[in-house]
């Protein structure tokens, strides 16, 4: 049996790259550009339309990352069983990944709430205008938090993945017969 996990690593890493990059670009680029629309109503409409177009790609990215991660766990179960530092990293990475998945789902729910109130207009996708309804203000306030939490969480997963790569170096146990 091959010791290579190229397909699993590719799915894991490309999915994570798209998830991280898409969330960061959306918060900075999409929401920032939508805030520049002249019509306050158009600001929410443009942001919502952009996020709706991204949602299926984001779901595929998250799915690829998750499936690749599960495949990597299966392929590295020997290391996981024998190396405490790998166990710790995997536990933290799994918790952060689940938090990121929940944050992504919640962000989608909040985005749908904001989109329902697009006729009210806004300063920006996550910034209400004076006189906005309480429901819109509340959803935008929460969305402002999740739009930055998501790249922070997925960025943390990138760092934990890099640490896992370092744990596979010979000095981390491979020379001692742990694979």
């Amino acid at each position: 049996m091959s010791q290579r996990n190229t397909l699993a690593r590719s799915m894991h890493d490309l999915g994570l790259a798209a998830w991280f990059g898409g969330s960061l670009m959306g918060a900075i680029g999409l929401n920032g550009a939508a805030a520049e629309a002249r019509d306050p109503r158009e600001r929410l409409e443009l942001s919502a339309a952009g996020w709706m177009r991204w949602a299926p790609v984001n779901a595929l990215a998250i799915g690829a990352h998750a499936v690749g991660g599960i495949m990597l766990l299966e392929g590295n179960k020997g290391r996981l069983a024998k190396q405490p530092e790998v166990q710790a990293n995997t536990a933290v990475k799994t918790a952060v990944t689940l938090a990121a998945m929940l944050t992504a789902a919640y962000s989608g729910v909040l985005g749908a709430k904001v989109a329902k109130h697009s006729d009210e207009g806004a300063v920006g996708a996550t910034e209400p205008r004076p006189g906005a309804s309480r429901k819109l203000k509340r959803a935008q306030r929460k969305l402002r938090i999740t739009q930055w939490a998501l790249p922070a969480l997925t960025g943390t997963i990138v760092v934990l993945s890099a640490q896992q790569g370092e744990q596979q170096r010979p000095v981390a146990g491979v020379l001692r017969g742990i694979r």
Side-chain angles (χ1 to χ4, degrees):
M1 183 169 116
S2 173
Q3 294 296 327
R4 293 185 184 261
N5 295 308
T6 305
L7 176 63
R9 286 180 192 278
S10 297
M11 291 175 65
H12 176 271
D13 293 353
L14 287 171
L16 180 56
W19 190 10
F20 170 75
S23 65
L24 189 60
M25 194 292 289
I28 296 169
L30 176 58
N31 288 350
E36 294 182 17
R38 291 185 187 179
D39 181 349
R41 280 185 284 206
E42 199 173 44
R43 294 171 187 160
L44 293 180
E45 290 170 358
L46 288 171
S47 177
W51 283 110
M52 290 291 282
R53 286 176 182 237
W54 174 247
V57 175
N58 196 44
L60 284 172
I62 294 168
H65 173 71
V67 169
I70 291 166
M71 291 167 66
L72 285 172
L73 284 173
E74 178 62 29
N76 289 283
K77 61 185 172 190
R79 286 183 57 240
L80 186 57
K82 296 177 184 176
Q83 290 180 288
E85 62 275 8
V86 174
Q87 294 168 4
N89 175 290
T90 301
V92 171
K93 186 176 165 191
T94 300
V96 175
T97 300
L98 292 173
M101 288 175 166
L102 291 171
T103 301
Y106 186 54
S107 182
V109 169
L110 292 171
K113 287 181 180 182
V114 168
K116 284 183 183 177
H117 295 277
S118 64
D119 61 325
E120 293 183 43
V123 173
T126 61
E127 298 81 30
R129 66 171 183 75
S133 69
R134 199 170 131 180
K135 286 184 178 183
L136 178 58
K137 286 181 182 179
R138 185 177 15 222
Q140 285 181 299
R141 184 176 64 246
K142 292 176 182 177
L143 194 56
R144 186 175 324 119
I145 294 166
T146 62
Q147 81 171 354
W148 296 113
L150 199 47
L153 289 166
T154 53
T156 300
I157 299 167
V158 169
V159 172
L160 291 167
S161 294
Q163 183 184 35
Q164 283 181 331
E166 291 296 311
Q167 290 172 337
Q168 288 188 311
R169 291 171 156 255
V171 295
V174 176
L175 285 179
R176 294 185 303 238
I178 301 171
R179 293 186 192 265

